[in-house]
Amino acid sequence: MKVIMSVFNFLMAAGPTVMLPVIITVIGLIFGLKITRAFKSGLTLGIGFAGIKLILDFMTTNVGPAAKAMVERTGVQLDALDVGWGSIAAVTWASPIIALLVFAILIVNIILLILKRTNTLDVDIWNYHHMAIVGVMVYFVTKSVLLGVGASVVMAIITFKISDWSQPMVEGFFGIPGVSLPTVSALSSLVIAWPLNWLLDRIPLFRKSTFTIKDAQKYLGFFGDSMIMGLVIGLVIGVLAGFDVTQIFQLGVSMSAVLVLIPKMTSLFMEGLMPISDAAQKWSQAKFKGRRLFIGLDAAVVVGNPDVITTALIIIPLTIAMALVLPGNRVLPFADLAVVPFRVAMVVALTRGNLLKNIVIGLVVTASLLWCGTATAPVLTAIAKSVGIKLGANSLLISSFAATAMIQSYLVFLAFTFKPIIGIPILLLVFAGAWYYFEGIKKINVENMKEAQTN
């Protein structure tokens, strides 16, 4: 056990760029790949992730100060600083019950696979912190280890099931076969997007709208090119931030670079995933009698899609504007502005690139992040202080678009901390209804549609 924990702690300390190649190599070996091919696949994914991380860090460095300057120019006082998902991950992994939570999530995934209640094999252990932070916060509020572990277990079950239900979008829209995305920061948007998309489809303006990013590029001509759109959006943000001419153009070129470089980095994921995906399908057919398993990966594999990036760059300045006028909001968007692509990726896939829907749903998701982030900022701040995280002197509270600011996480946190005897059963009943819909009613509808098309 000591050896296992030492290896686990080493991988966690090394971060996802080291953890991902190791995990993918091991998974490849399990699925029957030769060690050289499995290692090359894992290393390719690690390189792609490192490239994505560098670009996101680059984006944070450039967008962050501009966003902050835009807010400061308005004179509005927002006292909960968005410190970013990285800081929240640090708070999570510093928790005294983190080992219990990680093993509980892993065991739940294995049990669900054995019982055939999920097809997602989640190898994205680094992002377990999205599920674990809910348990950490519940434990901090209730002082109950049982409730803390229970909250993370419920988060895991919900996450794996939403991964299963959304997997056809990953394969159909993004063109990545055999992969699901159990990243809560991406999936949580679907909790709002699914019902809202259904509602928008019943409004003629949205139902008849077929306007996509590709259409925008066609009508805009020169200005519709991805790199030019990035340049224009960067210039606009710079002007609103009050930058001088040099800084405005620097920001414009930086945003242009983001739109060009991220797709190139994410193409490495496809290169590394294909051997693993093929081997996993052959292995599952042999071991599970034709059952198809999905490899659960970080949503970074899809954020390079041009529709995703462009939608995110439109949402970023609107997020800042919303923070200024949204009643009850106390969150100052900052560090997590660079990961807005994760919040809108599955929305874009759901609407199949319908730009009008993307913006409307994206703004509703953003409002939920601000409200939920505001509601849980005091708890998050207290936890950070309790584990020795040094907070900046300029912020009274901390928040993030991660942690329990995400609607899925917030609802679980609320159920386990506010009258759990009532909240937990209500949460489970709602989730059971969603399960019945996606694996019962919707499955029947899809089968009927296929039959009608065949006839």
Side-chain angles (χ1 to χ4, degrees), residues 390-413:
K390 295 182 180 180
L391 302 180
N394 296 327
S395 178
L396 297 176
L397 298 172
I398 64 169
S399 187
S400 169
F401 285 175
T404 43
M406 297 177 287
I407 188 66
Q408 171 187 343
S409 306
Y410 178 73
L411 291 176
V412 174
F413 170 76

Side-chain angles (χ1 to χ4, degrees), residues 379-392:
V379 176
L380 193 59
T381 304
I383 294 175
K385 291 179 179 179
S386 73
V387 297
I389 302 294
K390 295 182 180 180
L391 302 180

Side-chain angles (χ1 to χ4, degrees), residues 306-341:
D307 287 20
V308 172
I309 290 296
T310 306
T311 299
L313 288 176
I314 293 173
I315 293 294
I316 286 173
L318 295 177
T319 295
I320 300 165
M322 179 177 288
L324 300 175
V325 300
L326 188 67
N329 174 56
R330 297 170 63 184
V331 176
L332 170 61
F334 181 55
D336 269 342
L337 287 173
V339 293
V340 168

